[in-house]
Amino acid sequence: MIIPSITKKQGIIFGLIVIVAYILPYIIYGEESYITIHDFLDSTIAHIQAILNNNAYFDWSKEIPILSGIPRLSFVATYDIKTLPFLFLSTYWAIVVNIFLVKTVAFIGLFLLLDKYILNEGKYKYLINLGISICFTFIPF
């Protein structure tokens, strides 16, 4: 059996295609699809919605009417990468963008890490890096 050899660019493009294929049902079915909320979004969604509903996203002096008033400073930062999509998109689409960002950063980060420090020699290094990186990307799945 002949195993094909791939380049670094082909590996990254294929990995991104796999991530887009994973996100595609969320886009096709829209808000009718089921989303599992992992790690960082469980309570963050409720906090961000409370902040946005009280127009306190950029106002650090306001109190949010949760538990008899919590200062805005107690919540997540304004320019946090996982909270910015909630400012511009509806809750569902912000979660989908967050899923896409997390999976893309996980894939590219591990692919480049393996390429530079771990599996940086051999004929099939990018194919092995691709397989390991894709598996790492979908660990919560």
Side-chain angles (χ1 to χ4, degrees), residues 11-71:
I12 291 176
I13 289 172
F14 182 76
L16 293 176
I17 290 170
V18 170
I19 294 170
V20 169
Y22 175 80
I23 297 293
L24 203 56
Y26 296 129
I27 296 169
I28 292 172
Y29 294 119
E31 295 185 12
E32 299 292 322
S33 63
Y34 176 76
I35 292 181
T36 304
I37 299 172
H38 294 290
D39 297 341
F40 66 92
L41 286 176
D42 53 357
S43 64
T44 306
I45 293 172
H47 295 166
I48 293 170
Q49 288 304 316
I51 291 168
L52 290 175
N53 291 342
N54 292 296
N55 296 324
Y57 197 78
F58 295 106
D59 188 2
W60 293 92
S61 63
K62 280 196 173 182
E63 283 192 359
I64 309 301
I66 300 174
L67 300 173
S68 301
I70 297 176

Coordinates of all heavy atoms in Angstrom, one line a residue, residues 11-71:
G11 N -1.6 20.0 4.7 CA -2.1 19.5 6.0 C -2.9 20.5 6.7 O -4.0 20.2 7.2
I12 N -2.5 21.8 6.7 CA -3.3 22.8 7.3 C -4.6 23.0 6.6 O -5.7 23.2 7.3 CB -2.5 24.1 7.5 CG1 -1.3 23.9 8.5 CG2 -3.3 25.3 7.9 CD1 -0.4 25.1 8.6
I13 N -4.6 23.1 5.3 CA -5.8 23.3 4.5 C -6.8 22.1 4.8 O -8.0 22.3 5.0 CB -5.5 23.5 3.0 CG1 -4.8 24.8 2.8 CG2 -6.8 23.4 2.2 CD1 -4.3 25.0 1.4
F14 N -6.3 20.9 4.7 CA -7.2 19.7 5.0 C -7.8 19.8 6.4 O -9.0 19.5 6.6 CB -6.4 18.4 4.8 CG -7.3 17.2 5.0 CD1 -8.2 16.8 4.0 CD2 -7.2 16.5 6.1 CE1 -9.0 15.7 4.1 CE2 -8.0 15.4 6.3 CZ -8.9 15.0 5.3
G15 N -7.0 20.2 7.4 CA -7.5 20.3 8.7 C -8.6 21.3 8.9 O -9.6 21.1 9.5
L16 N -8.4 22.5 8.2 CA -9.4 23.5 8.2 C -10.7 23.1 7.5 O -11.8 23.4 7.9 CB -8.8 24.8 7.6 CG -7.7 25.5 8.4 CD1 -7.2 26.7 7.7 CD2 -8.2 25.9 9.8
I17 N -10.5 22.3 6.4 CA -11.7 21.8 5.8 C -12.5 20.8 6.7 O -13.7 20.9 6.7 CB -11.3 21.1 4.4 CG1 -10.8 22.1 3.4 CG2 -12.4 20.2 3.9 CD1 -10.2 21.5 2.2
V18 N -11.8 20.0 7.5 CA -12.4 19.1 8.4 C -13.2 20.0 9.5 O -14.3 19.6 9.9 CB -11.4 18.2 9.1 CG1 -12.0 17.4 10.2 CG2 -10.9 17.2 8.0
I19 N -12.5 21.0 9.9 CA -13.2 21.9 10.9 C -14.4 22.5 10.4 O -15.5 22.6 11.0 CB -12.2 22.9 11.5 CG1 -11.1 22.2 12.3 CG2 -12.9 23.9 12.4 CD1 -10.0 23.1 12.7
V20 N -14.4 23.0 9.1 CA -15.5 23.6 8.5 C -16.6 22.6 8.3 O -17.8 22.9 8.5 CB -15.1 24.3 7.2 CG1 -16.4 24.7 6.3 CG2 -14.3 25.5 7.4
A21 N -16.3 21.4 7.9 CA -17.3 20.3 7.8 C -17.9 20.0 9.1 O -19.1 19.7 9.2 CB -16.6 19.0 7.3
Y22 N -17.2 20.1 10.2 CA -17.8 19.9 11.6 C -18.7 21.1 11.9 O -19.8 20.8 12.5 CB -16.6 19.9 12.6 CG -17.1 19.8 14.0 CD1 -17.5 18.6 14.6 CD2 -17.2 20.9 14.8 CE1 -18.0 18.5 15.9 CE2 -17.6 20.9 16.1 CZ -18.0 19.6 16.6 OH -18.4 19.6 17.9
I23 N -18.4 22.3 11.5 CA -19.3 23.4 11.8 C -20.5 23.6 10.9 O -21.5 24.2 11.2 CB -18.4 24.7 11.8 CG1 -17.3 24.7 12.8 CG2 -19.2 26.0 11.9 CD1 -17.8 24.8 14.2
L24 N -20.4 23.0 9.7 CA -21.4 23.1 8.7 C -22.8 22.8 9.2 O -23.7 23.5 8.8 CB -21.0 22.3 7.5 CG -21.6 22.7 6.1 CD1 -21.3 24.1 5.8 CD2 -21.1 21.8 5.0
P25 N -23.1 21.7 9.9 CA -24.4 21.5 10.4 C -25.0 22.6 11.3 O -26.2 22.9 11.2 CB -24.3 20.2 11.2 CG -23.1 19.5 10.7 CD -22.2 20.6 10.2
Y26 N -24.1 23.2 12.0 CA -24.6 24.4 12.8 C -25.0 25.5 11.9 O -26.0 26.2 12.2 CB -23.5 24.9 13.7 CG -23.0 23.9 14.8 CD1 -21.7 23.6 15.0 CD2 -24.0 23.3 15.6 CE1 -21.3 22.7 15.9 CE2 -23.5 22.4 16.6 CZ -22.2 22.1 16.7 OH -21.8 21.2 17.7
I27 N -24.4 25.7 10.8 CA -24.7 26.7 9.9 C -26.0 26.4 9.1 O -26.9 27.2 8.9 CB -23.5 27.0 8.9 CG1 -22.4 27.6 9.7 CG2 -23.9 28.0 7.8 CD1 -21.1 27.7 9.0
I28 N -26.1 25.1 8.6 CA -27.2 24.7 7.8 C -28.5 24.7 8.6 O -29.5 25.2 8.2 CB -26.9 23.3 7.2 CG1 -25.8 23.4 6.2 CG2 -28.2 22.7 6.6 CD1 -25.3 22.0 5.7
Y29 N -28.5 24.1 9.8 CA -29.7 24.0 10.6 C -30.0 25.2 11.4 O -31.1 25.4 11.9 CB -29.6 22.7 11.5 CG -29.6 21.5 10.8 CD1 -28.5 20.6 10.9 CD2 -30.7 21.1 9.9 CE1 -28.5 19.4 10.2 CE2 -30.7 19.9 9.2 CZ -29.6 19.1 9.3 OH -29.6 17.9 8.7
G30 N -29.0 26.1 11.6 CA -29.2 27.3 12.3 C -29.5 27.1 13.8 O -29.0 26.2 14.4
E31 N -30.5 27.8 14.3 CA -30.8 27.8 15.7 C -31.6 26.5 16.0 O -31.9 26.3 17.2 CB -31.5 29.0 16.1 CG -30.7 30.2 16.0 CD -31.3 31.5 16.5 OE1 -32.4 31.4 17.2 OE2 -30.7 32.6 16.3
E32 N -31.9 25.7 15.0 CA -32.6 24.4 15.3 C -31.7 23.3 15.7 O -32.1 22.3 16.1 CB -33.4 24.0 14.0 CG -34.4 25.0 13.6 CD -35.6 25.0 14.5 OE1 -36.0 24.0 15.1 OE2 -36.1 26.2 14.7
S33 N -30.4 23.5 15.6 CA -29.4 22.5 15.9 C -29.1 22.5 17.4 O -29.3 23.5 18.1 CB -28.1 22.7 15.1 OG -27.5 23.9 15.4
Y34 N -28.5 21.4 17.8 CA -28.2 21.2 19.2 C -26.7 21.5 19.5 O -25.9 21.0 18.7 CB -28.5 19.7 19.6 CG -28.1 19.3 21.0 CD1 -28.8 19.7 22.1 CD2 -26.9 18.6 21.2 CE1 -28.5 19.3 23.3 CE2 -26.5 18.2 22.5 CZ -27.3 18.6 23.5 OH -26.9 18.3 24.8
I35 N -26.5 22.3 20.5 CA -25.1 22.7 20.8 C -24.7 22.2 22.2 O -25.5 22.5 23.1 CB -24.9 24.2 20.7 CG1 -25.1 24.7 19.2 CG2 -23.6 24.7 21.2 CD1 -24.9 26.2 19.0
T36 N -23.6 21.6 22.3 CA -23.1 21.2 23.6 C -22.1 22.3 24.0 O -21.2 22.6 23.3 CB -22.3 19.9 23.5 OG1 -23.2 18.9 23.0 CG2 -21.9 19.4 24.9
I37 N -22.4 22.9 25.2 CA -21.6 24.0 25.6 C -20.4 23.4 26.5 O -20.7 22.8 27.5 CB -22.4 25.0 26.4 CG1 -23.5 25.6 25.5 CG2 -21.5 26.1 27.0 CD1 -24.4 26.4 26.2
H38 N -19.2 23.6 26.1 CA -18.1 23.1 26.8 C -17.4 24.1 27.6 O -17.4 25.3 27.3 CB -17.1 22.5 25.8 CG -17.6 21.3 25.1 ND1 -17.8 20.1 25.7 CD2 -17.9 21.1 23.8 CE1 -18.3 19.2 24.8 NE2 -18.4 19.8 23.7
D39 N -16.6 23.7 28.6 CA -15.7 24.5 29.4 C -16.0 25.9 29.7 O -16.7 26.3 30.6 CB -14.3 24.4 28.9 CG -13.8 22.9 28.9 OD1 -14.4 22.1 29.6 OD2 -12.9 22.6 28.2
F40 N -15.5 26.8 28.8 CA -15.5 28.2 29.1 C -16.8 28.9 28.9 O -17.0 30.1 29.2 CB -14.4 28.9 28.2 CG -14.7 28.9 26.8 CD1 -15.4 29.9 26.2 CD2 -14.3 27.8 26.0 CE1 -15.6 29.9 24.8 CE2 -14.5 27.8 24.6 CZ -15.2 28.9 24.1
L41 N -17.8 28.3 28.2 CA -19.0 29.0 27.9 C -20.2 28.7 28.9 O -21.2 29.3 28.7 CB -19.4 28.7 26.5 CG -18.6 29.3 25.4 CD1 -19.1 28.9 24.0 CD2 -18.7 30.8 25.5
D42 N -20.0 27.8 29.8 CA -21.2 27.4 30.6 C -21.8 28.5 31.4 O -23.0 28.8 31.3 CB -20.8 26.2 31.5 CG -19.6 26.5 32.4 OD1 -19.0 27.5 32.2 OD2 -19.2 25.6 33.2
S43 N -21.0 29.2 32.2 CA -21.6 30.4 32.9 C -21.3 31.7 32.2 O -22.0 32.7 32.5 CB -21.0 30.4 34.3 OG -19.6 30.7 34.3
T44 N -20.4 31.7 31.3 CA -20.1 32.9 30.6 C -21.2 33.4 29.8 O -21.4 34.6 29.7 CB -18.8 32.7 29.7 OG1 -17.8 32.2 30.5 CG2 -18.4 34.0 29.1
I45 N -22.0 32.5 29.2 CA -23.1 33.0 28.4 C -24.1 33.7 29.3 O -24.6 34.8 28.9 CB -23.8 31.7 27.7 CG1 -22.9 31.1 26.7 CG2 -25.1 32.1 27.1 CD1 -23.4 29.8 26.2
A46 N -24.5 33.2 30.4 CA -25.4 33.9 31.3 C -24.8 35.3 31.7 O -25.6 36.3 31.8 CB -25.7 33.1 32.5
H47 N -23.6 35.3 32.1 CA -23.0 36.6 32.5 C -23.0 37.6 31.4 O -23.3 38.8 31.6 CB -21.5 36.3 33.0 CG -21.5 35.5 34.2 ND1 -20.3 34.9 34.6 CD2 -22.4 35.1 35.1 CE1 -20.5 34.3 35.7 NE2 -21.8 34.4 36.0
I48 N -22.6 37.2 30.2 CA -22.5 38.1 29.1 C -23.9 38.6 28.7 O -24.1 39.8 28.4 CB -21.8 37.5 27.9 CG1 -20.4 37.2 28.2 CG2 -22.0 38.3 26.6 CD1 -19.7 36.4 27.1
Q49 N -24.9 37.7 28.7 CA -26.3 38.2 28.5 C -26.8 39.2 29.5 O -27.4 40.1 29.2 CB -27.2 37.0 28.4 CG -27.0 36.1 27.1 CD -27.1 37.0 25.9 OE1 -28.0 37.8 25.7 NE2 -26.2 36.7 24.9
A50 N -26.4 38.9 30.8 CA -26.8 39.9 31.8 C -26.1 41.3 31.6 O -26.8 42.3 31.8 CB -26.4 39.4 33.2
I51 N -24.9 41.2 31.2 CA -24.1 42.5 30.9 C -24.8 43.2 29.7 O -25.0 44.4 29.8 CB -22.7 42.2 30.7 CG1 -22.0 41.7 32.0 CG2 -21.9 43.4 30.1 CD1 -20.6 41.2 31.8
L52 N -25.0 42.5 28.6 CA -25.6 43.1 27.4 C -27.0 43.6 27.7 O -27.4 44.6 27.1 CB -25.6 42.1 26.3 CG -24.2 41.7 25.7 CD1 -24.3 40.7 24.7 CD2 -23.5 43.0 25.2
N53 N -27.8 42.9 28.4 CA -29.2 43.3 28.7 C -29.2 44.5 29.5 O -30.2 45.3 29.5 CB -30.0 42.2 29.4 CG -30.2 41.0 28.5 OD1 -30.1 41.1 27.2 ND2 -30.5 39.9 29.0
N54 N -28.2 44.8 30.3 CA -28.2 46.0 31.1 C -27.3 47.1 30.5 O -26.9 48.1 31.2 CB -27.7 45.7 32.5 CG -28.7 44.8 33.2 OD1 -29.8 45.3 33.5 ND2 -28.3 43.6 33.5
N55 N -26.9 47.0 29.2 CA -26.1 48.0 28.5 C -24.8 48.3 29.3 O -24.5 49.5 29.5 CB -26.9 49.2 28.2 CG -28.0 48.9 27.3 OD1 -27.9 48.1 26.4 ND2 -29.1 49.6 27.4
A56 N -24.2 47.3 29.9 CA -23.0 47.6 30.7 C -21.7 47.0 30.1 O -20.7 46.8 30.8 CB -23.2 47.0 32.1
Y57 N -21.7 46.7 28.8 CA -20.5 46.0 28.2 C -19.3 46.9 28.3 O -18.2 46.4 28.6 CB -20.8 45.6 26.8 CG -19.9 44.6 26.2 CD1 -20.0 43.2 26.6 CD2 -18.8 44.9 25.4 CE1 -19.1 42.3 26.1 CE2 -17.9 44.0 25.0 CZ -18.1 42.7 25.3 OH -17.2 41.7 24.9
F58 N -19.4 48.1 28.0 CA -18.3 49.0 28.1 C -18.3 50.0 29.3 O -17.4 50.7 29.5 CB -18.2 49.9 26.8 CG -18.0 49.1 25.6 CD1 -19.0 48.9 24.7 CD2 -16.7 48.6 25.4 CE1 -18.7 48.2 23.5 CE2 -16.4 47.9 24.2 CZ -17.5 47.6 23.3
D59 N -19.4 49.9 30.1 CA -19.5 50.7 31.3 C -19.1 49.9 32.6 O -19.9 49.1 33.1 CB -20.9 51.2 31.4 CG -21.1 52.3 32.5 OD1 -20.1 52.6 33.1 OD2 -22.2 52.7 32.7
W60 N -17.9 50.2 33.1 CA -17.4 49.5 34.2 C -18.0 49.9 35.6 O -17.8 49.3 36.6 CB -15.9 49.6 34.3 CG -15.2 48.9 33.1 CD1 -14.9 49.4 31.9 CD2 -14.9 47.5 33.0 NE1 -14.4 48.5 31.1 CE2 -14.3 47.3 31.7 CE3 -15.0 46.4 33.9 CZ2 -13.9 46.0 31.3 CZ3 -14.6 45.2 33.5 CH2 -14.0 45.0 32.2
S61 N -18.7 51.0 35.6 CA -19.2 51.6 36.8 C -20.6 51.0 37.2 O -21.1 51.2 38.3 CB -19.2 53.1 36.8 OG -20.1 53.5 35.7
K62 N -21.2 50.3 36.2 CA -22.6 49.8 36.5 C -22.6 48.6 37.4 O -21.6 47.9 37.5 CB -23.3 49.5 35.2 CG -23.8 50.7 34.4 CD -24.8 50.2 33.3 CE -25.4 51.4 32.7 NZ -26.4 51.0 31.7
E63 N -23.8 48.4 38.0 CA -24.0 47.2 38.7 C -25.0 46.3 38.0 O -26.0 46.8 37.5 CB -24.6 47.5 40.1 CG -23.5 48.0 41.1 CD -24.1 48.0 42.5 OE1 -25.2 47.7 42.7 OE2 -23.3 48.4 43.4
I64 N -24.7 45.0 37.9 CA -25.6 44.1 37.2 C -26.5 43.5 38.2 O -26.1 43.1 39.3 CB -24.7 42.9 36.6 CG1 -23.6 43.5 35.8 CG2 -25.6 42.0 35.8 CD1 -24.0 44.4 34.6
P65 N -27.8 43.5 37.9 CA -28.8 43.1 38.9 C -28.9 41.6 39.1 O -29.9 41.0 38.9 CB -30.1 43.7 38.4 CG -29.9 43.8 36.9 CD -28.5 44.1 36.7
I66 N -27.8 41.0 39.5 CA -27.7 39.6 39.8 C -27.3 39.5 41.3 O -26.3 40.2 41.7 CB -26.7 38.8 38.9 CG1 -27.1 38.9 37.5 CG2 -26.6 37.4 39.4 CD1 -26.1 38.3 36.5
L67 N -27.9 38.7 42.1 CA -27.6 38.6 43.5 C -27.5 40.0 44.2 O -26.5 40.3 44.8 CB -26.3 37.9 43.7 CG -26.2 36.5 43.1 CD1 -24.8 35.9 43.2 CD2 -27.1 35.5 43.9
S68 N -28.5 40.7 44.0 CA -28.7 42.1 44.6 C -27.6 43.1 44.2 O -27.2 44.0 44.9 CB -28.6 42.0 46.2 OG -29.6 41.1 46.6
G69 N -27.1 42.9 43.0 CA -26.2 43.9 42.4 C -24.8 43.5 42.5 O -24.2 43.6 43.6
I70 N -24.2 43.1 41.4 CA -22.8 42.7 41.3 C -22.1 43.8 40.4 O -22.6 44.1 39.4 CB -22.5 41.3 40.7 CG1 -23.2 40.3 41.7 CG2 -21.1 41.0 40.6 CD1 -23.1 38.9 41.1
P71 N -20.9 44.3 40.9 CA -20.3 45.3 40.0 C -19.8 44.7 38.7 O -19.5 43.5 38.6 CB -19.0 45.7 40.8 CG -19.2 45.2 42.2 CD -20.3 44.1 42.1

